Amino acid sequence: MSEGRVLAACQDGAYVLRLTGDVRMTLCTSLDDYLAQMLSDPAFASVWIDLCDVEGLDSTTLGQLAKLALQVRERYGFRPAIYCCDAGINRLLTSMGFERLFELHEKTCCNSGTAEAIPLVPGSEDAVRERVIEAHRVLMGLSDENADRFRDLMDALESSA
C-alpha cells in the first residue's frame, strides 16, 4: 500500500478533498486542522470527498470524516458528498453508517481541478491521542454496532491518557 495523502482544492467556497493511498491516524492532526480551517471559511458552500484513489482508511480517519459531516449538517443543513468506486471501501462506509451522514456516490467524481497536499502538521502524542479519541467517539455515536466495535479500543485509549 502506498503512503496516505490528503489533497485539497477550493474554488469560490466549494471544497474537494482527495484522499489517496492508505490514510492513517498519522495524518489526523493535519486533516483536523484543515477541516477546521475549511469550515471557518466565510465563503464555504460545499464539500466533496474523493476516495477513488484510497487503498485503506483507518477508524480515526473515518471518525474525522463523520465529524465533518455532522458539523456540515448542523451549520449548513446539507450532507457532503463522498465519491468512491471501490466496492470494499463502499462496504466499509456503509458498515459505519455513512449513508446517514453523506450522499454516497459509487462512482468517480468529476475532475476536481488542481489539488494540493494539505500542510503536514506535527502533533504531540497527547494531541494525537485526543484527536483519535474524539474521532472514535463520533463513530461510536453513529450506531450501536460501532459502539460495540470500538469500545475496547476506547477503553484502552482513555486509560492511557
Side-chain angles (χ1 to χ4, degrees), residues 29 44 136 152:
T29 303
F44 177 85
H136 285 84
D152 291 342

Side-chain angles (χ1 to χ4, degrees), residues 34-108:
Y34 186 83
L35 296 177
Q37 174 190 347
M38 178 183 71
L39 290 174
S40 68
D41 178 355
F44 177 85
S46 66
V47 59
W48 292 358
I49 312 296
D50 178 348
L51 301 179
C52 293
D53 293 324
V54 161
E55 297 169 19
L57 295 168
D58 72 354
S59 55
T60 299
T61 304
L62 290 168
Q64 289 181 300
L65 293 177
K67 177 183 165 188
L68 167 67
L70 291 168
Q71 289 177 340
V72 167
R73 183 174 62 196
E74 181 181 307
R75 293 182 191 182
Y76 303 101
F78 69 90
R79 294 187 302 165
I82 287 183
Y83 290 84
C84 182
C85 47
D86 182 282
I89 298 293
N90 285 323
R91 276 191 303 276
L92 174 63
L93 297 175
T94 301
S95 76
M96 291 290 133
F98 272 39
E99 72 281 356
R100 294 187 302 260
L101 302 175
F102 292 93
E103 295 290 333
L104 297 179
H105 301 275
E106 295 183 4
K107 59 184 178 182
T108 303

Side-chain angles (χ1 to χ4, degrees), residues 15-27:
Y15 285 82
V16 175
L17 298 177
R18 177 176 292 155
L19 283 62
T20 65
D22 188 28
V23 183
R24 298 276 159 202
M25 69 175 249
T26 53
L27 293 173

